[in-house]
PDB file of all heavy atoms in Angstrom:
ATOM      1  N   GLU A 522     115.279  90.729   4.796  1.00  0.00           N
ATOM      2  CA  GLU A 522     113.863  90.498   4.506  1.00  0.00           C
ATOM      3  C   GLU A 522     112.969  91.497   5.245  1.00  0.00           C
ATOM      4  O   GLU A 522     111.990  91.996   4.688  1.00  0.00           O
ATOM      5  CB  GLU A 522     113.475  89.070   4.885  1.00  0.00           C
ATOM      6  CG  GLU A 522     114.046  88.015   3.943  1.00  0.00           C
ATOM      7  CD  GLU A 522     113.517  86.625   4.257  1.00  0.00           C
ATOM      8  OE1 GLU A 522     112.629  86.508   5.119  1.00  0.00           O
ATOM      9  OE2 GLU A 522     114.000  85.670   3.636  1.00  0.00           O
ATOM     10  N   ILE A 523     113.308  91.788   6.481  1.00  0.00           N
ATOM     11  CA  ILE A 523     112.517  92.755   7.254  1.00  0.00           C
ATOM     12  C   ILE A 523     112.710  94.156   6.693  1.00  0.00           C
ATOM     13  O   ILE A 523     111.755  94.946   6.613  1.00  0.00           O
ATOM     14  CB  ILE A 523     112.905  92.706   8.743  1.00  0.00           C
ATOM     15  CG1 ILE A 523     112.690  91.299   9.299  1.00  0.00           C
ATOM     16  CG2 ILE A 523     112.106  93.716   9.548  1.00  0.00           C
ATOM     17  CD1 ILE A 523     111.266  90.818   9.225  1.00  0.00           C
ATOM     18  N   ARG A 524     113.933  94.479   6.288  1.00  0.00           N
ATOM     19  CA  ARG A 524     114.162  95.798   5.681  1.00  0.00           C
ATOM     20  C   ARG A 524     113.297  95.986   4.444  1.00  0.00           C
ATOM     21  O   ARG A 524     112.732  97.066   4.219  1.00  0.00           O
ATOM     22  CB  ARG A 524     115.644  95.963   5.314  1.00  0.00           C
ATOM     23  CG  ARG A 524     116.585  95.968   6.484  1.00  0.00           C
ATOM     24  CD  ARG A 524     117.944  96.537   6.112  1.00  0.00           C
ATOM     25  NE  ARG A 524     118.650  95.798   5.074  1.00  0.00           N
ATOM     26  CZ  ARG A 524     119.558  94.856   5.304  1.00  0.00           C
ATOM     27  NH1 ARG A 524     119.853  94.495   6.554  1.00  0.00           N
ATOM     28  NH2 ARG A 524     120.191  94.269   4.309  1.00  0.00           N
ATOM     29  N   GLN A 525     113.197  94.959   3.627  1.00  0.00           N
ATOM     30  CA  GLN A 525     112.376  95.065   2.426  1.00  0.00           C
ATOM     31  C   GLN A 525     110.894  95.182   2.772  1.00  0.00           C
ATOM     32  O   GLN A 525     110.154  95.939   2.156  1.00  0.00           O
ATOM     33  CB  GLN A 525     112.617  93.859   1.516  1.00  0.00           C
ATOM     34  CG  GLN A 525     113.864  93.984   0.668  1.00  0.00           C
ATOM     35  CD  GLN A 525     113.814  95.204  -0.236  1.00  0.00           C
ATOM     36  OE1 GLN A 525     114.407  96.251   0.052  1.00  0.00           O
ATOM     37  NE2 GLN A 525     113.099  95.103  -1.337  1.00  0.00           N
ATOM     38  N   GLN A 526     110.467  94.444   3.768  1.00  0.00           N
ATOM     39  CA  GLN A 526     109.063  94.467   4.162  1.00  0.00           C
ATOM     40  C   GLN A 526     108.647  95.859   4.635  1.00  0.00           C
ATOM     41  O   GLN A 526     107.521  96.305   4.378  1.00  0.00           O
ATOM     42  CB  GLN A 526     108.818  93.430   5.261  1.00  0.00           C
ATOM     43  CG  GLN A 526     107.379  93.303   5.700  1.00  0.00           C
ATOM     44  CD  GLN A 526     107.203  92.234   6.768  1.00  0.00           C
ATOM     45  OE1 GLN A 526     108.117  91.445   7.043  1.00  0.00           O
ATOM     46  NE2 GLN A 526     106.029  92.202   7.377  1.00  0.00           N
ATOM     47  N   TYR A 527     109.568  96.541   5.320  1.00  0.00           N
ATOM     48  CA  TYR A 527     109.253  97.856   5.890  1.00  0.00           C
ATOM     49  C   TYR A 527     110.004  98.985   5.189  1.00  0.00           C
ATOM     50  O   TYR A 527     110.173 100.066   5.766  1.00  0.00           O
ATOM     51  CB  TYR A 527     109.601  97.869   7.380  1.00  0.00           C
ATOM     52  CG  TYR A 527     108.703  96.995   8.218  1.00  0.00           C
ATOM     53  CD1 TYR A 527     109.084  95.700   8.557  1.00  0.00           C
ATOM     54  CD2 TYR A 527     107.461  97.455   8.659  1.00  0.00           C
ATOM     55  CE1 TYR A 527     108.253  94.886   9.317  1.00  0.00           C
ATOM     56  CE2 TYR A 527     106.626  96.658   9.421  1.00  0.00           C
ATOM     57  CZ  TYR A 527     107.032  95.367   9.746  1.00  0.00           C
ATOM     58  OH  TYR A 527     106.200  94.562  10.485  1.00  0.00           O
ATOM     59  N   ARG A 528     110.414  98.776   3.940  1.00  0.00           N
ATOM     60  CA  ARG A 528     111.321  99.736   3.299  1.00  0.00           C
ATOM     61  C   ARG A 528     110.743 101.144   3.224  1.00  0.00           C
ATOM     62  O   ARG A 528     111.481 102.130   3.356  1.00  0.00           O
ATOM     63  CB  ARG A 528     111.737  99.246   1.907  1.00  0.00           C
ATOM     64  CG  ARG A 528     110.611  99.079   0.913  1.00  0.00           C
ATOM     65  CD  ARG A 528     111.140  98.503  -0.405  1.00  0.00           C
ATOM     66  NE  ARG A 528     110.093  98.305  -1.389  1.00  0.00           N
ATOM     67  CZ  ARG A 528     109.321  97.227  -1.465  1.00  0.00           C
ATOM     68  NH1 ARG A 528     109.491  96.245  -0.569  1.00  0.00           N
ATOM     69  NH2 ARG A 528     108.394  97.120  -2.390  1.00  0.00           N
ATOM     70  N   ASP A 529     109.422 101.272   3.017  1.00  0.00           N
ATOM     71  CA  ASP A 529     108.840 102.615   2.920  1.00  0.00           C
ATOM     72  C   ASP A 529     108.781 103.315   4.276  1.00  0.00           C
ATOM     73  O   ASP A 529     108.705 104.551   4.337  1.00  0.00           O
ATOM     74  CB  ASP A 529     107.431 102.532   2.334  1.00  0.00           C
ATOM     75  CG  ASP A 529     107.432 102.058   0.884  1.00  0.00           C
ATOM     76  OD1 ASP A 529     108.461 102.241   0.210  1.00  0.00           O
ATOM     77  OD2 ASP A 529     106.421 101.488   0.448  1.00  0.00           O
ATOM     78  N   SER A 530     108.823 102.539   5.344  1.00  0.00           N
ATOM     79  CA  SER A 530     108.726 103.109   6.696  1.00  0.00           C
ATOM     80  C   SER A 530     110.085 103.303   7.349  1.00  0.00           C
ATOM     81  O   SER A 530     110.156 103.902   8.436  1.00  0.00           O
ATOM     82  CB  SER A 530     107.878 102.189   7.587  1.00  0.00           C
ATOM     83  OG  SER A 530     106.599 101.987   7.041  1.00  0.00           O
ATOM     84  N   LEU A 531     111.155 102.815   6.714  1.00  0.00           N
ATOM     85  CA  LEU A 531     112.462 102.828   7.375  1.00  0.00           C
ATOM     86  C   LEU A 531     112.934 104.218   7.777  1.00  0.00           C
ATOM     87  O   LEU A 531     113.433 104.400   8.896  1.00  0.00           O
ATOM     88  CB  LEU A 531     113.506 102.136   6.487  1.00  0.00           C
ATOM     89  CG  LEU A 531     113.394 100.618   6.374  1.00  0.00           C
ATOM     90  CD1 LEU A 531     114.462 100.072   5.428  1.00  0.00           C
ATOM     91  CD2 LEU A 531     113.495  99.954   7.741  1.00  0.00           C
ATOM     92  N   PRO A 532     112.825 105.243   6.918  1.00  0.00           N
ATOM     93  CA  PRO A 532     113.295 106.566   7.354  1.00  0.00           C
ATOM     94  C   PRO A 532     112.625 107.030   8.649  1.00  0.00           C
ATOM     95  O   PRO A 532     113.299 107.521   9.564  1.00  0.00           O
ATOM     96  CB  PRO A 532     112.957 107.477   6.174  1.00  0.00           C
ATOM     97  CG  PRO A 532     112.976 106.557   4.991  1.00  0.00           C
ATOM     98  CD  PRO A 532     112.405 105.264   5.499  1.00  0.00           C
ATOM     99  N   ALA A 533     111.313 106.866   8.739  1.00  0.00           N
ATOM    100  CA  ALA A 533     110.601 107.296   9.947  1.00  0.00           C
ATOM    101  C   ALA A 533     111.005 106.459  11.151  1.00  0.00           C
ATOM    102  O   ALA A 533     111.151 106.988  12.271  1.00  0.00           O
ATOM    103  CB  ALA A 533     109.092 107.197   9.725  1.00  0.00           C
ATOM    104  N   LEU A 534     111.197 105.167  10.954  1.00  0.00           N
ATOM    105  CA  LEU A 534     111.610 104.301  12.060  1.00  0.00           C
ATOM    106  C   LEU A 534     113.009 104.668  12.549  1.00  0.00           C
ATOM    107  O   LEU A 534     113.293 104.642  13.755  1.00  0.00           O
ATOM    108  CB  LEU A 534     111.574 102.837  11.618  1.00  0.00           C
ATOM    109  CG  LEU A 534     110.181 102.256  11.337  1.00  0.00           C
ATOM    110  CD1 LEU A 534     110.300 100.861  10.728  1.00  0.00           C
ATOM    111  CD2 LEU A 534     109.356 102.215  12.618  1.00  0.00           C
ATOM    112  N   ILE A 535     113.883 105.011  11.619  1.00  0.00           N
ATOM    113  CA  ILE A 535     115.243 105.413  11.991  1.00  0.00           C
ATOM    114  C   ILE A 535     115.208 106.704  12.801  1.00  0.00           C
ATOM    115  O   ILE A 535     115.880 106.821  13.837  1.00  0.00           O
ATOM    116  CB  ILE A 535     116.111 105.579  10.729  1.00  0.00           C
ATOM    117  CG1 ILE A 535     116.374 104.222  10.078  1.00  0.00           C
ATOM    118  CG2 ILE A 535     117.437 106.261  11.073  1.00  0.00           C
ATOM    119  CD1 ILE A 535     116.991 104.327   8.698  1.00  0.00           C
ATOM    120  N   VAL A 536     114.437 107.671  12.336  1.00  0.00           N
ATOM    121  CA  VAL A 536     114.355 108.947  13.049  1.00  0.00           C
ATOM    122  C   VAL A 536     113.797 108.725  14.454  1.00  0.00           C
ATOM    123  O   VAL A 536     114.299 109.300  15.434  1.00  0.00           O
ATOM    124  CB  VAL A 536     113.493 109.947  12.261  1.00  0.00           C
ATOM    125  CG1 VAL A 536     113.218 111.190  13.109  1.00  0.00           C
ATOM    126  CG2 VAL A 536     114.190 110.336  10.964  1.00  0.00           C
ATOM    127  N   ARG A 537     112.786 107.884  14.580  1.00  0.00           N
ATOM    128  CA  ARG A 537     112.224 107.607  15.900  1.00  0.00           C
ATOM    129  C   ARG A 537     113.273 106.996  16.818  1.00  0.00           C
ATOM    130  O   ARG A 537     113.367 107.334  18.011  1.00  0.00           O
ATOM    131  CB  ARG A 537     111.012 106.679  15.787  1.00  0.00           C
ATOM    132  CG  ARG A 537     110.288 106.465  17.111  1.00  0.00           C
ATOM    133  CD  ARG A 537     108.967 105.760  16.908  1.00  0.00           C
ATOM    134  NE  ARG A 537     109.150 104.359  16.571  1.00  0.00           N
ATOM    135  CZ  ARG A 537     108.145 103.511  16.318  1.00  0.00           C
ATOM    136  NH1 ARG A 537     106.891 103.955  16.350  1.00  0.00           N
ATOM    137  NH2 ARG A 537     108.387 102.259  16.027  1.00  0.00           N
ATOM    138  N   GLN A 538     114.090 106.103  16.282  1.00  0.00           N
ATOM    139  CA  GLN A 538     115.146 105.510  17.096  1.00  0.00           C
ATOM    140  C   GLN A 538     116.167 106.557  17.515  1.00  0.00           C
ATOM    141  O   GLN A 538     116.644 106.560  18.659  1.00  0.00           O
ATOM    142  CB  GLN A 538     115.838 104.374  16.329  1.00  0.00           C
ATOM    143  CG  GLN A 538     116.915 103.660  17.148  1.00  0.00           C
ATOM    144  CD  GLN A 538     117.653 102.608  16.351  1.00  0.00           C
ATOM    145  OE1 GLN A 538     117.357 102.353  15.194  1.00  0.00           O
ATOM    146  NE2 GLN A 538     118.653 101.991  16.972  1.00  0.00           N
ATOM    147  N   MET A 539     116.513 107.468  16.604  1.00  0.00           N
ATOM    148  CA  MET A 539     117.483 108.504  16.935  1.00  0.00           C
ATOM    149  C   MET A 539     116.950 109.435  18.027  1.00  0.00           C
ATOM    150  O   MET A 539     117.702 109.887  18.900  1.00  0.00           O
ATOM    151  CB  MET A 539     117.855 109.320  15.688  1.00  0.00           C
ATOM    152  CG  MET A 539     118.593 108.547  14.615  1.00  0.00           C
ATOM    153  SD  MET A 539     120.121 107.745  15.188  1.00  0.00           S
ATOM    154  CE  MET A 539     119.541 106.066  15.440  1.00  0.00           C
ATOM    155  N   VAL A 540     115.659 109.714  17.988  1.00  0.00           N
ATOM    156  CA  VAL A 540     115.052 110.546  19.036  1.00  0.00           C
ATOM    157  C   VAL A 540     115.143 109.827  20.375  1.00  0.00           C
ATOM    158  O   VAL A 540     115.439 110.442  21.416  1.00  0.00           O
ATOM    159  CB  VAL A 540     113.593 110.886  18.681  1.00  0.00           C
ATOM    160  CG1 VAL A 540     112.883 111.550  19.861  1.00  0.00           C
ATOM    161  CG2 VAL A 540     113.543 111.802  17.463  1.00  0.00           C
ATOM    162  N   GLY A 541     114.904 108.513  20.376  1.00  0.00           N
ATOM    163  CA  GLY A 541     115.024 107.739  21.607  1.00  0.00           C
ATOM    164  C   GLY A 541     116.432 107.721  22.163  1.00  0.00           C
ATOM    165  O   GLY A 541     116.632 107.633  23.382  1.00  0.00           O
TER     166      GLY A 541
END
Side-chain angles (χ1 to χ4, degrees):
E522 288 186 6
I523 302 299
R524 295 197 299 265
Q525 279 301 100
Q526 183 179 349
Y527 291 96
R528 62 184 179 275
D529 294 335
S530 303
L531 288 178
L534 292 172
I535 291 169
V536 171
R537 186 169 72 181
Q538 183 184 358
M539 294 304 99
V540 171

